[in-house]
Amino acid sequence: MKLRRLGLISYALTCFSLQASEEKEEMVTIEIDRIRTDILTRTDNLLIDTFADATDPYLEGYIQALIDVHYYEYQVVVIVKNHKVYLANLPNNDLLSESIISFVDDLPGVESVEVADLSEAEEEAREAYVEQPRLNGIWFPQSTVLFAPLIADPRQPVNSVAVRWGDRVIGHDVAAISLGDDFPIFRWLNVFRCEGDLQIGIEAGIWSVFNYSDSLGQGRGWCELINTDYLIAIPVTYALNSWSFRLRIYHISSHLGDEFLCNHSEFLKHRRNPSMEAIDFFSSYQASSHLRLYFGPGVILHRDPSFNMKTLYVQYGAELRVFGSKLYYHRLYGTPFFAIHVENWQVRDWNFDVSMKLGYEISKLQGVGRKMRIYVEYHDGYSYEGQFFKKRTEYGGIGLSWGF
């Protein structure tokens, strides 16, 4: 009898265990489906999973709130009719406008996105239930810079680390590190008759190179700090539709590394100080969502007497981005890019100096905002390292950068 009771108890526990296992497996399946749904939509931005049954005013309010979080300073207006989204008051900046449209188009429940102008009746009806901010400008804008950085420029203030090979001036094996950023201070909105955005900011950058070979060390140097350059600049930028402009005044100074000077005492007698103050003006044209072109002349206003620098220079280049796609799992955007930057300096007899980068960039918002880039590079022209500025060199490398 006892054995029979034990058998019944054992059978009941087995059935309960199997049922619990089936329920757990079903819960895991449901969770996997939910995660898959979240990955394939931008529900990380939303408080509910779908807007399929939401009313137009409800959907309109959510989208307006999301845009205000990411693009508050541009006062974009959202109108929803039959789950079709109409965006008005987009910024007069094609790159930003495309980024906002793409952001809204990714949201679940949105059937289409169109750009529209509000009629007077629509504006009055909207003001009845929406209080719109009235801004003439904004302190410390967060979304992006108005003049995008020049990717292939060797002296673009950005955070990066790279390894180079083949440099016959600094050394065959070189590590290059930079720290820099463009910090926007104040942005005026809808400036001048064409109603573009005007911004003033501050730029700062540091570039250091380390020699890991012995091309300059004569058996005494390994991992030498060769040179460090410092830059401080005040850029004033203006953006309108496909155009952006930058007027910048800057100071740059250069300093040979202590390890290099210890290993090369002869440079103590021939020390030069290639410091200067200069001003440049760049124009950038976003020809399409894939291609950007830019050009700018510069004038050296003052230089240190120990390092002769003639007055003029020009810089120009292009950036191509193709085959961009959404990385659904991480909710990011990935885009391959190719960039070329060319310089001609009077002090170098107007000879060509060419830098190229090929790589892949990742960003949270399409086209704008902070990014990370991994790239291979090739440089054919002159060294940028302090008093070696007039010496020809050629090298390749691989690097990682982060910033705008």
Side-chain angles (χ1 to χ4, degrees), residues 277-390:
E277 290 75 43
I279 187 170
D280 56 25
F281 179 74
F282 274 78
S283 300
S284 172
Y285 179 64
Q286 194 72 38
S288 68
S289 59
H290 304 294
L291 179 63
R292 177 197 184 194
L293 306 171
Y294 61 85
F295 173 85
V299 178
I300 297 175
L301 303 175
H302 177 265
R303 61 168 179 83
D304 190 280
S306 66
F307 194 83
N308 181 38
M309 291 286 286
K310 294 182 180 179
T311 305
L312 303 176
Y313 65 88
V314 293
Q315 301 179 8
Y316 47 96
E319 297 168 4
L320 180 67
R321 292 174 171 85
V322 292
F323 308 121
S325 61
K326 290 181 289 185
L327 307 177
Y328 289 102
Y329 183 76
H330 298 286
R331 301 183 176 94
L332 298 172
Y333 291 91
T335 308
F337 69 86
F338 172 74
I340 181 170
H341 179 83
V342 184
E343 299 189 7
N344 303 99
W345 289 70
Q346 187 180 10
V347 70
R348 295 168 173 168
D349 298 323
W350 301 109
N351 292 324
F352 287 96
D353 183 275
V354 181
S355 300
M356 292 182 285
K357 288 184 179 179
L358 175 67
Y360 191 79
E361 68 178 19
I362 299 174
S363 60
K364 181 68 175 178
L365 300 173
Q366 184 176 11
V368 299
R370 295 191 179 271
K371 305 175 179 67
M372 292 193 71
R373 300 182 180 98
I374 184 169
Y375 58 86
V376 293
E377 65 176 341
Y378 173 72
H379 178 81
D380 182 14
Y382 292 83
S383 177
Y384 279 82
E385 316 306 336
Q387 68 183 69
F388 306 107
F389 184 78
K390 301 176 186 178

Side-chain angles (χ1 to χ4, degrees), residues 70 99 105 125 148 154 157 211 213 250 313 316 337 359 367 377:
H70 294 283
S99 176
D105 194 43
N211 175 27
S213 59
Y250 66 92
Y313 65 88
Y316 47 96
F337 69 86
E377 65 176 341

Side-chain angles (χ1 to χ4, degrees), residues 30-48:
I30 293 173
E31 181 66 14
I32 290 174
D33 290 339
R34 185 189 67 79
I35 293 174
R36 185 182 294 114
T37 300
D38 286 349
I39 288 173
L40 296 176
T41 63
R42 292 191 69 93
T43 52
D44 59 318
N45 292 295
L46 307 174
L47 299 181
I48 62 177

